[in-house]
Amino acid sequence: MAILVTGGAGYIGSHTCVELLQAGEDIVLLDNFSNAKPEVIDRIRELGGRDFPLYAVDILHREGLEKVFAREEIEAVIHFAGLKAVGESVAIPLDYYQNNVTGTLNLCQVMARHGCKKMVFSSSATVYGTSTDVPFREDSPLSTTNPYGSTKRMVEDILRDLCASDGEWSACLLRYFNPIGAHKSGLLGEDPNGIPNNLLPYIARVAAGKLKQLSVFGDDYDTPDGTGVRDYLHVVDLAIGHLKALDFARSHKGAEAINLGTGQGYSVLEVVKAFEKASGVKVPYQMAPRRPGDIATCYADPTKAKKLLGWQATRELEEMCADTWNFTSRQK
Ligand code: NAD
Ligand code: UD1
């Protein structure tokens, strides 16, 4: 039987597919390519060392999903497919609710009909909202400040209700902190369309000479150097976390929210410094006003992941920066 990976051609999905293949799992990859390039598929095949079925299907298209489950023997689903840009979600909320919530409902209904009741879901630390109670634990209060965050929280609720209604279901709700970095080969990484919103892709494009300078959003936060502090984790560590979560879902029933982060926060200026060291390239920056909706400090308490999944991040910030640079400096 195979693992269906929705959104498998995306940034985190592609790295997870490689790790799954290398671990000997059979996969079926589904993506609508709304935010991924088709050439990623060949790279996954190359790095994973094996072929797999690919479906260019949208999770909003029920018949497409039905076809996948009718043709393939799916044991469990790792569900990455979704829209993820916070600012865009404020501008087009209905698209976000439809894609992320309705899409997941479709998927769960088709799964249930085919007796497939194990899911690993991409949630986000964004569900902790503007709480200042760091480090965030899975039982910290939840709140959201934008439609993207609300879709994650709603899907978490849906999966919890589903597991409560049917004891055969298991769902791991993985709350990612800030994934960065790229595959060591330089063949997979994050290459957003347009001007990046997130810190690392922005820094990398400045270093590559494609953007003039970084704007540091706020230098008056209550943090050691006044700039925002986040829990950055290597995308390969994150990918491996999904394999551990899959094993957990195989042997446990019910819904479980689990943080995936390092437990260590770094400021924007610390990241700039680490990137300069790893790349040998200067990253010019200027101080700018705070970005609306940002919080000062966000990092995980990763105890539960260690306890339940036996997972712990191992890659340091410098390696994350070096791998980001190795990938970005190869892009045209
Ligand atoms: P990504 O955009 O690179 O990957 C998502 C993939 O899903 C893309 O390949 C896209 O084409 C596909 N997709 C989107 N809508 C689809 C649909 N309706 N049907 C089929 N495929 C669809 O994003 P990512 O960074 O790899 O994130 C993966 C998941 O993790 C997302 O759900 C995201 O919200 C969540 N997440 C990401 C981060 C992050 O910082 N990257 C943090 C927390 C949570
Ligand atoms: C963002 C999302 C969050 C999502 C997370 C996943 C927003 C508001 N939040 O979080 O929902 O779960 O990504 O990775 O988009 N920064 C700069 N200059 C820049 C870009 C960022 O100074 O050009 C700073 C930010 O103010 C922040 C830090 O860098 O302090 C990290 O920002 P970013 O990479 O966008 O991640 P988050 O804001 O943590």
Side-chain angles (χ1 to χ4, degrees):
M1 292 187 85
I3 308 304
L4 176 66
V5 185
T6 74
Y11 172 48
I12 306 169
S14 58
H15 288 84
T16 303
C17 286
V18 169
E19 295 301 320
L20 286 164
L21 290 166
Q22 287 181 347
E25 299 280 0
D26 287 328
I27 66 166
V28 172
L29 195 156
L30 179 154
D31 205 294
N32 69 355
F33 293 94
S34 59
N35 196 34
K37 299 190 176 104
E39 54 263 32
V40 166
I41 302 299
D42 286 337
R43 294 180 180 180
I44 297 171
R45 289 190 170 123
E46 185 185 333
L47 296 170
R50 272 182 311 129
D51 202 359
F52 50 84
L54 165 69
Y55 290 86
V57 163
D58 194 306
I59 55 168
L60 290 172
H61 186 230
R62 238 170 210 275
E63 283 155 29
L65 284 177
E66 281 288 352
K67 203 170 73 184
V68 176
F69 278 83
R71 283 200 190 156
E72 308 288 346
E73 294 243 29
I74 306 295
E75 179 206 355
V77 177
I78 304 184
H79 178 33
F80 293 105
L83 300 175
K84 64 164 183 176
V86 172
E88 186 182 65
S89 80
V90 175
I92 48 168
L94 299 185
D95 292 28
Y96 271 67
Y97 288 112
Q98 187 182 27
N99 199 73
N100 294 4
V101 181
T102 308
T104 305
L105 285 174
N106 276 344
L107 179 62
C108 290
Q109 284 171 334
V110 175
M111 285 173 69
R113 215 176 359 261
H114 291 266
C116 172
K117 298 185 177 180
K118 295 182 195 79
M119 179 182 280
V120 176
F121 170 64
S122 300
S123 187
S124 167
T126 193
V127 297
Y128 296 115
T130 52
S131 168
T132 51
D133 189 20
V134 285
F136 295 126
R137 287 164 43 101
E138 289 79 357
D139 56 5
S140 296
L142 305 184
S143 69
T144 55
T145 54
N146 55 72
Y148 166 70
S150 299
T151 67
K152 292 296 174 191
R153 199 170 159 197
M154 284 180 186
V155 171
E156 283 201 5
D157 285 342
I158 290 167
L159 293 174
R160 263 188 288 268
D161 288 345
L162 181 56
C163 290
S165 74
D166 177 348
E168 289 180 7
W169 270 90
S170 54
C172 277
L173 319 174
L174 299 182
R175 295 178 180 160
Y176 313 156
F177 281 69
N178 292 55
I180 60 169
H183 195 269
K184 270 276 170 276
S185 62
L187 293 177
L188 298 176
E190 190 177 19
D191 187 21
N193 293 327
I195 296 181
N197 295 309
N198 297 114
L199 183 63
L200 257 291
Y202 203 104
I203 289 179
R205 289 216 190 151
V206 171
K210 290 179 183 163
L211 291 168
K212 203 165 137 256
Q213 62 180 352
L214 172 72
S215 294
V216 177
F217 297 144
D219 62 356
D220 57 352
Y221 284 109
D222 183 16
T223 60
D225 65 16
T227 67
V229 168
R230 296 291 184 275
D231 185 338
Y232 298 95
L233 82 155
H234 198 294
V235 66
V236 173
D237 276 333
L238 180 59
I240 292 166
H242 288 76
L243 273 68
K244 303 276 191 185
L246 179 63
D247 282 342
F248 184 80
R250 281 171 167 151
S251 53
H252 295 78
K253 303 293 179 202
E256 204 70 68
I258 304 174
N259 288 338
L260 293 185
T262 65
Q264 158 99 52
Y266 287 101
S267 74
V268 175
L269 294 182
E270 284 173 322
V271 175
V272 169
K273 213 176 284 167
F275 193 92
E276 289 182 337
K277 189 166 171 217
S279 66
V281 182
K282 194 101 195 107
V283 178
Y285 64 84
Q286 62 171 7
M287 293 306 175
R290 291 181 179 194
R291 182 172 65 179
D294 272 358
I295 56 174
T297 305
C298 172
Y299 60 94
D301 177 338
T303 312
K304 190 172 174 185
K306 192 170 179 194
K307 193 164 154 229
L308 294 193
L309 307 183
W311 176 89
Q312 203 174 356
T314 60
R315 292 160 177 82
E316 300 289 341
L317 182 62
E318 201 166 325
E319 184 173 355
M320 302 180 210
C321 292
D323 292 344
T324 299
W325 180 237
N326 182 38
F327 173 76
T328 307
S329 56
R330 290 164 186 247
Q331 307 305 305
K332 282 188 207 106

